[in-house]
Each structure stands twice: as structure tokens, then as C-alpha cells.
Amino acid sequence: MKLAITGKGGVGKTTLSALLAQVYADMGRQVLAVDADPSPCLAGALGFPDELREKLVPISEMDDLIYERTGARPGTTGGFFTLNPRVDDIPERFSVIHRGVRLLEMGAVDIGGSGCICPESAMLKTLFTHLLFRKDDVLILDMYAGVEHLGRATVDFVDAMLVVVEPTRRSLGTAAQIKKLANDIGLTRLWLVGNKVRNADESEFLSKETPGIPVLGYLTADLGVQEADRLGIAVYDHVPPLHNAAVKMAAELVAQIDNERSVS
Ligand SMILES: Nc1ncnc2c1ncn2[C@@H]1O[C@H](COP(=O)(O)OP(=O)(O)OP(=O)(O)O)[C@@H](O)[C@H]1O
Ligand SMILES: [Mg+2]
């Protein structure tokens, strides 16, 4: 099962990614969580201990590796380098595992249609495609922005894109844009997750104003989220209401995705 988590900045993509990753790991599934944020913080949200976090270096910052694999140094343009470097060993070699979640940091991924033709983008683009083609049991992509990472060729491999929103018109506006971009490249399996919901009015607002994306579930606003961050522990362990909501969403996704597979 391959899940891509998107949404406007700060809505709770990383919080949701960490919750779902840990839920699936505790169900005994093999989980690969990928942090595609330029300033990675999924390790913190998962409560990875410092000694493991120290071992993580975003792939985008591994200049020597990028040179070794592409034949050119990051930052150089105009020279020759390979557009499809070897990447198959990267997920195992450069990730760390904690409580059943394997975590890989990709770093700043500028591989969209921006036209950047440089060694680091060739490397990350190839790695991203590889991750989507791999036969991981559960892949969770914490994406820092819209759907720029996803090309038409990879869309078939994404089982669901979760669009995280807060109860604000602004984040719903971003969700509508994400939906359009996703639909443009043929991705229609979208789910809305309402986060930081304080009361029934807010969840009703989200369910009424959704830009045509079915609601998977809601996460309540909880001061325990910031507290967990301060204490360096996972929201999964520290905030039972969010833990429970994530368990329900994870089960619903399994049911929906397996259902769809059995129908098609
Ligand atoms: N349910 C919640 N209740 C209270 N605070 C929350 C909740 N979910 C997230 N937050 C807080 O909101 C902030 C953003 O959360 P998070 O990092 O998960 O969002 P993000 O979408 O990944 O952000 P970015 O776009 O910067 O990657 C954090 O400070 C987090 O503690
Ligand atoms: Mg984030």
C-alpha cells in the first residue's frame, strides 16, 4: 500500500504520516516512511532516538553519493551525467529503523516540471520512482508540497493520496488545487483528513466545504501534540485521541484499498 500525504504548509502532514506509519508497523506490517521535506522532521514526529537521527542524512545532501552515482557533482550544470543512476540499494543503506518503521530522508526534492536538469534532481527523481515501484508492504510519503513529485508514470502506484486540511478556507483552497493537479495527472484516489479540529462545528465545516474529496477522518486539536514534540516522543504514544483516530483511518484505508483491488 502506497500512501502520499499532502496539504498546505503546517497543516499536519508530518504528524499524520508518523501516526499512520506507527499504526501499520504495530500491526506487524513492513513500513517504509519517506521524508521528502527540505527540512526533515518525520524522525522527530516518530520519536526516533537521537543516536538514530544522527545517522540520517538527506539523500539530497549526499554530494559524494550523487557524484558516485551520476558522474557529476551537485550544483554543476551543463556537463554530462547519467539520468538514471543506480538507486536500488539506497533505501536499505541510508535508512534507519525504529519500532518497525524504516525511515529514509530524501531532503529537498525539486523534481517537478521546474525543468531543473542537474545531477541531484536526476538522482532524487530516479529514487522517487524506484520507491513507488518497489514492493514495499506499506510506503508512506510525507510530501512537502502538492503533487509535483508525482509524474504520470508513477500515479498508478499510489494507492491513495491523503490531503490534510485544517478547518480554514485557505487550507481547503490548497486542497482544491491539489485535487485539480492530482486529477490532471490521473490520480483520483484522494482522501481528506481534517486536522486540528476543535469541535463539531469545525468538522461539519470541513465535511460541507470539502472540494469533493471524501473525508477519511478527523484529528482533534490537542496541546499534547506540541508537548510530545517538546518531550521528544511520538504523538502516537503521547496523545491517545490522535492515536485512536489514526488506527481507525488506517483500518479504513486497508478496507477501501483492498476492496478496490478485489473489484478491479
Ligand atoms: N492535532 C493537532 N493539534 C495541535 N497541534 C497540532 C496538531 N497537528 C499538528 N499540530 C502542530 O502543527 C504544527 C505543524 O504540524 P506538522 O509538522 O505535522 O505539519 P506539516 O504539514 O508537516 O508542516 P510542514 O508543511 O512544515 O511540513 C506543529 O507545530 C504541530 O505540533
Ligand atoms: Mg512536515
Side-chain angles (χ1 to χ4, degrees):
M1 177 160 58
K2 295 181 162 49
L3 307 175
I5 320 286
T6 62
K8 192 176 167 324
V11 288
K13 299 178 289 294
T14 300
T15 305
L16 178 68
S17 300
L19 281 166
L20 290 176
Q22 198 63 59
V23 171
Y24 286 122
D26 280 5
M27 282 164 62
R29 302 188 61 164
Q30 301 285 323
V31 178
L32 174 61
V34 177
D35 193 341
D37 195 299
S39 43
C41 43
L42 189 52
L46 282 160
F48 271 50
D50 287 345
E51 60 273 23
L52 282 181
R53 292 172 67 172
E54 278 159 17
K55 289 189 187 154
L56 278 169
V57 180
I59 304 300
S60 63
E61 291 171 19
M62 293 190 178
D63 290 6
D64 290 343
L65 179 75
I66 294 170
Y67 177 62
E68 178 200 309
R69 298 300 168 89
T70 65
R73 293 243 161 240
T76 57
T77 48
F80 288 104
F81 57 88
T82 174
L83 289 172
N84 56 347
R86 179 177 172 218
V87 293
D88 60 307
D89 58 331
I90 288 178
E92 269 72 32
R93 259 182 78 188
F94 298 104
S95 58
V96 293
I97 302 181
H98 180 59
R99 290 172 62 188
V101 177
R102 183 185 281 282
L103 175 64
L104 180 71
E105 285 183 355
M106 288 194 48
V109 189
D110 178 18
I111 57 174
S114 63
C116 168
I117 301 176
C118 47
E120 58 274 36
S121 77
M123 179 91 173
L124 292 176
K125 192 174 176 135
T126 309
L127 176 59
F128 200 78
T129 305
H130 172 73
L131 290 171
L132 285 168
F133 279 82
R134 260 168 68 109
K135 296 240 173 303
D136 282 300
D137 184 17
V138 177
L139 174 72
I140 294 184
L141 300 163
D142 178 3
M143 315 214 320
Y144 70 103
V147 293
E148 291 84 354
H149 301 39
L150 300 169
R152 280 171 204 276
T154 53
V155 159
D156 287 346
F157 296 89
V158 177
D159 292 299
M161 178 177 278
L162 309 187
V163 186
V164 186
V165 289
E166 297 170 345
T168 62
R169 289 199 187 275
R170 212 180 266 186
S171 82
L172 284 167
T174 305
Q177 283 170 356
I178 291 172
K179 182 186 176 197
K180 184 174 182 315
L181 290 169
N183 289 172
D184 284 351
I185 56 169
L187 181 58
T188 52
R189 299 170 297 275
L190 266 56
W191 296 92
L192 202 76
V193 174
N195 186 27
K196 307 189 194 180
V197 175
R198 285 173 300 183
N199 52 44
D201 283 351
E202 291 193 337
S203 52
E204 204 176 310
F205 167 74
L206 284 174
S207 64
K208 278 205 182 124
E209 301 290 329
T210 156
I213 309 175
V215 178
L216 179 67
Y218 298 106
L219 298 170
T220 50
D222 199 309
L223 289 176
V225 177
Q226 277 91 333
E227 203 173 82
D229 176 80
R230 225 170 32 242
L231 297 170
I233 51 179
V235 167
Y236 182 83
D237 298 318
H238 193 62
V239 191
L242 266 62
H243 176 146
N244 296 339
V247 168
K248 275 197 199 136
M249 286 189 227
E252 180 66 17
L253 282 170
V254 169
Q256 292 285 346
I257 290 167
D258 290 350
N259 239 342
E260 196 173 291
R261 281 215 192 97
S262 63
V263 170
S264 57

